[in-house]
Every structure is written in structure tokens, then in C-alpha cells.
Amino acid sequence: MKVRQSVIVVDAFAERPFTGNQAAVCILSNPASTIWMQAIAGEMNLSETAFLHRRPDGWGLRWFTPTVEVNLCGHATLAAAHALMEAGVGEAGKPLVFHTRSGSLAVIPDGTGYAMDFPALPVRPEQAPAGFAEAIGAAPVWSGTNGMDLFAELQDESTVRRLKPDFTRLGEFQVRGIIVTARSAEFDFVSRFFAPASGILEDPVTGSAHCALGPYWSARLSRTELLGYQASARGGRVRVSVRGDRVVLGGQAVTVLRGELAVPADTSGETWPTTLLERR
């Protein structure tokens, strides 16, 4: 008998539907093969698809873009916590613990949203690579990296909001993504996140980027409690609390779709998804 596998689509870092960042969440009865999960993520074709399975010490969690598995994803973690709360698994005020490539991550539903305890990913100064200003469409006033993403502060908020990058050229930089940011009049800072090398031109709201943005703006503004706005077309607010080598990210989430996978989870890694991926 085929085991039913649920899938839902959640708008994360969103107070209402059709804003924030979309993530699919698949709640699995058992761990599935990497090949199968990557195929499902490609089929969903959202910036991230999260896969959950129950463990004695919490939940196993992995994240996939349509083309690659990633080490850390904030919005899909928020979406995963929201999916479990709606399934009646979690309880307000008690942490949900996820075991991931980036270690154990705790998410606490607080009644109005979710607080996610993530590792800080501070950036260090580094000259932007050759051709960066031309690819992004603006000259940085400060540039750096955290080993995963390129990071650039731009002249002002309007520059960040008006950017029209050359995605082909951005995709040539061998990094997960590119974070651009500036001080904001309404918020503490604004940002955008581009990741063409990871199969995403622009990510609507990127929780993991705020693991770098939080420490950066905390040092600049001499505050540990911050409010960021990711200025994509969908847009989303992220509350950031910097606590030493950890960053607590806060936001809300809304479910927009519930369904069931028509293909069973593969646990061998040797069945039909292999040939499907080879045709992509």
C-alpha cells in the first residue's frame, strides 16, 4: 500500500497570502533519497522545498532549491515549523527542534509568529570580485563575504530597490548568492538576495541572509534588536535579534495550499527519479 505523503505551500515571513517567500513542505513518514527529494523540489519549482521526517530527538530537515541542496534556509525552516503547528504537532512556547546540515535549529512558535534560533554568519571585509559592480548594476560602498555569499552595502535604499542585475553575469560568481543592503528610512535596513548560481534569480525573503545582515547592521547601528525588510517584488519583514554567535529571526507565515504527493517517497536512490534528473 502506498504511504500518503502530504505537501503544503507556505508563504513565510508573510502576514497575508501572496507576500513573503514561498516554500513547499513535504512531511515524510521516513527519510527519502537525495535524488527523489531533488526531483520533487524541481517539480515544485519554488525557491525552496523542505523535507521533514520524525526523529526521536526532533525532526530531520533538508532544504532543496529546484537545482541544488543547500546548507541553511531560513524561510523554509519557518514554513516547516508552521506546517507542523497546523498539523497539531507543536505547541506555542515550546521549541520545535530541527536537525540539519547546519546543526540543530530551534524554532519557537510564540502565538503570533515564530522565533528561529540560527547560527550567526558574520561577513568579513573583502574586495568585490572583478565585474561585480557591472553585474549587480551599482558600485558597493562596502563589500565582503561570509564564505557562502557575497555581501555588498550600496549607497542608499533607493539604489537597492531599483537594482536590475545582469543575472547571467551574477551566475558566474561561484557563491551560493549575493546579498545587497542599505540603511532604510522606514526600517533599520533593506536588502535583496540574488542566487542565479543556485537556480534562483531573486529570492523574495531570505532568512539565512539575515544571519549575515543582523551582525553587520548591529555593529553599524550599535543595537542588537533590528527590523529588516527584503525589498523584492513580494517583500517581507524579518525581525532580527543578535545574540553573540547566534541570531534569532522572527516572522509570520500563511498556508496557501495543501495537497498530497502522487508519487511515493523513494528510499533507495536508484528508482525513476534518476533518469528524470538526467533529462533536465
Side-chain angles (χ1 to χ4, degrees):
M1 181 177 68
K2 183 176 73 174
V3 177
R4 300 172 70 176
Q5 308 287 357
S6 67
V7 58
I8 75 169
V9 175
V10 174
D11 289 344
F13 295 112
E15 293 83 34
R16 63 185 189 280
F18 317 125
T19 62
N21 200 353
Q22 300 163 293
V25 181
C26 297
I27 303 175
L28 305 173
S29 53
N30 292 291
S33 73
T34 299
I35 291 173
W36 183 86
M37 289 187 286
Q38 186 65 76
I40 294 296
E43 190 75 11
M44 298 305 296
N45 200 33
L46 299 175
S47 60
E48 300 286 346
T49 299
F51 295 89
L52 287 165
H53 69 273
R54 173 73 90 172
R55 289 177 30 158
D57 54 353
W59 293 86
L61 174 60
R62 293 171 71 178
W63 310 279
F64 292 79
T65 78
T67 59
V68 297
E69 183 174 9
V70 298
N71 292 332
L72 184 65
C73 180
H75 86 276
T77 304
L78 192 159
H82 183 72
L84 292 177
M85 286 294 290
E86 289 210 329
V89 174
E91 184 178 341
K94 294 187 177 180
L96 292 162
V97 179
F98 299 103
H99 302 281
T100 77
R101 282 186 166 191
S102 293
S104 295
L105 306 176
V107 181
I108 300 176
D110 60 16
T112 59
Y114 300 87
M116 304 188 294
D117 184 356
F118 274 30
L121 300 172
V123 292
R124 61 180 184 275
E126 186 172 292
Q127 185 175 352
F132 178 82
E134 294 77 11
I136 204 71
V141 298
W142 191 95
S143 62
T145 182
N146 59 10
M148 182 168 66
D149 301 317
L150 294 178
F151 187 103
E153 182 184 350
L154 303 185
Q155 182 176 0
D156 52 37
E157 179 175 358
S158 62
T159 301
V160 171
R161 290 179 177 270
R162 293 197 312 264
L163 282 181
K164 294 182 179 178
D166 183 332
F167 291 114
T168 300
R169 296 180 71 175
L170 280 187
E172 295 172 357
F173 299 121
Q174 298 304 303
V175 293
R176 182 191 71 151
I178 295 95
I179 304 166
V180 295
T181 186
R183 187 77 169 89
S184 171
E186 181 179 359
F187 308 95
D188 291 310
F189 60 88
V190 295
S191 66
R192 290 172 71 184
F193 185 84
F194 309 106
S198 298
I200 306 163
L201 297 185
E202 179 169 5
D203 197 37
V205 189
T206 315
S208 60
H210 288 75
C211 295
L213 288 159
Y216 180 81
W217 285 110
S218 178
R220 289 287 194 277
L221 302 176
S222 300
R223 294 208 316 275
T224 57
E225 303 295 323
L226 304 162
L227 178 62
Y229 181 76
Q230 194 154 328
S232 65
R234 292 174 63 96
R237 303 182 185 200
V238 182
R239 301 189 306 272
V240 185
S241 177
V242 180
R243 302 178 184 179
D245 63 353
R246 307 294 293 182
V247 175
V248 177
L249 307 177
Q252 295 175 259
V254 181
T255 299
V256 295
L257 180 150
R258 292 186 181 89
E260 180 183 319
L261 293 175
V263 290
D266 169 51
T267 57
S268 70
E270 298 175 353
T271 57
W272 59 268
T274 305
T275 56
L276 187 148
L277 285 178
E278 288 172 349
R279 292 201 302 269
R280 288 181 181 269

